[in-house]
PDB file of all heavy atoms in Angstrom:
ATOM      1  N   ILE A 550      10.399   7.212   6.414  1.00 95.00           N
ATOM      2  CA  ILE A 550       9.463   6.085   6.280  1.00 95.00           C
ATOM      3  C   ILE A 550      10.203   4.748   6.143  1.00 95.00           C
ATOM      4  O   ILE A 550       9.789   3.741   6.707  1.00 95.00           O
ATOM      5  CB  ILE A 550       8.487   6.325   5.100  1.00 95.00           C
ATOM      6  CG1 ILE A 550       7.557   7.489   5.438  1.00 95.00           C
ATOM      7  CG2 ILE A 550       7.673   5.070   4.776  1.00 95.00           C
ATOM      8  CD1 ILE A 550       6.532   7.842   4.394  1.00 95.00           C
ATOM      9  N   ASP A 551      11.306   4.760   5.409  1.00 92.00           N
ATOM     10  CA  ASP A 551      12.062   3.510   5.221  1.00 92.00           C
ATOM     11  C   ASP A 551      13.032   3.231   6.363  1.00 92.00           C
ATOM     12  O   ASP A 551      13.876   2.348   6.262  1.00 92.00           O
ATOM     13  CB  ASP A 551      12.825   3.537   3.869  1.00 92.00           C
ATOM     14  CG  ASP A 551      11.891   3.744   2.695  1.00 92.00           C
ATOM     15  OD1 ASP A 551      10.680   3.504   2.885  1.00 92.00           O
ATOM     16  OD2 ASP A 551      12.350   4.147   1.614  1.00 92.00           O
ATOM     17  N   GLU A 552      12.921   4.035   7.423  1.00 91.00           N
ATOM     18  CA  GLU A 552      13.710   3.838   8.657  1.00 91.00           C
ATOM     19  C   GLU A 552      15.224   3.830   8.396  1.00 91.00           C
ATOM     20  O   GLU A 552      15.930   2.960   8.863  1.00 91.00           O
ATOM     21  CB  GLU A 552      13.267   2.565   9.346  1.00 91.00           C
ATOM     22  CG  GLU A 552      11.761   2.567   9.548  1.00 91.00           C
ATOM     23  CD  GLU A 552      11.275   1.719  10.702  1.00 91.00           C
ATOM     24  OE1 GLU A 552      12.051   0.905  11.191  1.00 91.00           O
ATOM     25  OE2 GLU A 552      10.125   1.930  11.098  1.00 91.00           O
ATOM     26  N   LYS A 553      15.668   4.839   7.638  1.00 93.00           N
ATOM     27  CA  LYS A 553      17.105   4.938   7.370  1.00 93.00           C
ATOM     28  C   LYS A 553      17.766   6.024   8.211  1.00 93.00           C
ATOM     29  O   LYS A 553      18.945   6.344   8.024  1.00 93.00           O
ATOM     30  CB  LYS A 553      17.320   5.248   5.890  1.00 93.00           C
ATOM     31  CG  LYS A 553      16.941   4.101   4.987  1.00 93.00           C
ATOM     32  CD  LYS A 553      17.419   4.363   3.564  1.00 93.00           C
ATOM     33  CE  LYS A 553      16.808   3.402   2.581  1.00 93.00           C
ATOM     34  NZ  LYS A 553      16.163   4.063   1.447  1.00 93.00           N
ATOM     35  N   MET A 554      17.010   6.618   9.135  1.00 96.00           N
ATOM     36  CA  MET A 554      17.587   7.720   9.922  1.00 96.00           C
ATOM     37  C   MET A 554      18.630   7.185  10.896  1.00 96.00           C
ATOM     38  O   MET A 554      18.461   6.131  11.478  1.00 96.00           O
ATOM     39  CB  MET A 554      16.484   8.453  10.668  1.00 96.00           C
ATOM     40  CG  MET A 554      15.594   9.264   9.739  1.00 96.00           C
ATOM     41  SD  MET A 554      14.204  10.012  10.586  1.00 96.00           S
ATOM     42  CE  MET A 554      15.018  11.291  11.559  1.00 96.00           C
ATOM     43  N   LYS A 555      19.683   7.985  11.083  1.00 94.00           N
ATOM     44  CA  LYS A 555      20.732   7.567  12.014  1.00 94.00           C
ATOM     45  C   LYS A 555      20.406   8.025  13.425  1.00 94.00           C
ATOM     46  O   LYS A 555      20.857   7.457  14.397  1.00 94.00           O
ATOM     47  CB  LYS A 555      22.078   8.134  11.568  1.00 94.00           C
ATOM     48  CG  LYS A 555      22.498   7.510  10.247  1.00 94.00           C
ATOM     49  CD  LYS A 555      23.960   7.719   9.958  1.00 94.00           C
ATOM     50  CE  LYS A 555      24.351   6.904   8.723  1.00 94.00           C
ATOM     51  NZ  LYS A 555      25.306   7.604   7.888  1.00 94.00           N
ATOM     52  N   GLN A 556      19.666   9.122  13.516  1.00 94.00           N
ATOM     53  CA  GLN A 556      19.171   9.607  14.819  1.00 94.00           C
ATOM     54  C   GLN A 556      17.693   9.912  14.640  1.00 94.00           C
ATOM     55  O   GLN A 556      17.238  10.127  13.513  1.00 94.00           O
ATOM     56  CB  GLN A 556      19.896  10.895  15.212  1.00 94.00           C
ATOM     57  CG  GLN A 556      21.300  10.638  15.710  1.00 94.00           C
ATOM     58  CD  GLN A 556      22.229  11.784  15.389  1.00 94.00           C
ATOM     59  OE1 GLN A 556      21.802  12.838  14.957  1.00 94.00           O
ATOM     60  NE2 GLN A 556      23.506  11.552  15.573  1.00 94.00           N
ATOM     61  N   SER A 557      16.971  10.008  15.749  1.00 95.00           N
ATOM     62  CA  SER A 557      15.523  10.231  15.589  1.00 95.00           C
ATOM     63  C   SER A 557      15.198  11.693  15.274  1.00 95.00           C
ATOM     64  O   SER A 557      14.078  12.029  14.895  1.00 95.00           O
ATOM     65  CB  SER A 557      14.784   9.767  16.833  1.00 95.00           C
ATOM     66  OG  SER A 557      15.403  10.276  17.961  1.00 95.00           O
ATOM     67  N   TYR A 558      16.200  12.594  15.372  1.00 97.00           N
ATOM     68  CA  TYR A 558      15.993  13.975  14.919  1.00 97.00           C
ATOM     69  C   TYR A 558      17.209  14.388  14.105  1.00 97.00           C
ATOM     70  O   TYR A 558      18.343  14.308  14.592  1.00 97.00           O
ATOM     71  CB  TYR A 558      15.805  14.917  16.111  1.00 97.00           C
ATOM     72  CG  TYR A 558      15.724  16.380  15.715  1.00 97.00           C
ATOM     73  CD1 TYR A 558      14.754  16.834  14.819  1.00 97.00           C
ATOM     74  CD2 TYR A 558      16.625  17.316  16.220  1.00 97.00           C
ATOM     75  CE1 TYR A 558      14.678  18.161  14.453  1.00 97.00           C
ATOM     76  CE2 TYR A 558      16.567  18.652  15.858  1.00 97.00           C
ATOM     77  CZ  TYR A 558      15.583  19.066  14.972  1.00 97.00           C
ATOM     78  OH  TYR A 558      15.517  20.385  14.598  1.00 97.00           O
ATOM     79  N   GLU A 559      16.984  14.813  12.892  1.00 98.00           N
ATOM     80  CA  GLU A 559      18.102  15.205  12.017  1.00 98.00           C
ATOM     81  C   GLU A 559      17.803  16.557  11.345  1.00 98.00           C
ATOM     82  O   GLU A 559      16.641  16.900  11.117  1.00 98.00           O
ATOM     83  CB  GLU A 559      18.320  14.147  10.933  1.00 98.00           C
ATOM     84  CG  GLU A 559      18.727  12.784  11.491  1.00 98.00           C
ATOM     85  CD  GLU A 559      18.883  11.713  10.405  1.00 98.00           C
ATOM     86  OE1 GLU A 559      18.251  11.830   9.321  1.00 98.00           O
ATOM     87  OE2 GLU A 559      19.625  10.760  10.634  1.00 98.00           O
ATOM     88  N   ILE A 560      18.895  17.235  11.020  1.00 98.00           N
ATOM     89  CA  ILE A 560      18.777  18.560  10.378  1.00 98.00           C
ATOM     90  C   ILE A 560      19.606  18.561   9.102  1.00 98.00           C
ATOM     91  O   ILE A 560      20.745  18.053   9.097  1.00 98.00           O
ATOM     92  CB  ILE A 560      19.333  19.658  11.327  1.00 98.00           C
ATOM     93  CG1 ILE A 560      18.538  19.708  12.632  1.00 98.00           C
ATOM     94  CG2 ILE A 560      19.300  21.026  10.646  1.00 98.00           C
ATOM     95  CD1 ILE A 560      19.156  20.640  13.672  1.00 98.00           C
TER      96      ILE A 560
END
Side-chain angles (χ1 to χ4, degrees):
I550 292 181
D551 302 342
E552 309 205 344
K553 292 191 192 127
M554 289 174 71
K555 294 196 172 143
Q556 283 149 11
S557 48
Y558 174 58
E559 296 177 335
I560 299 172

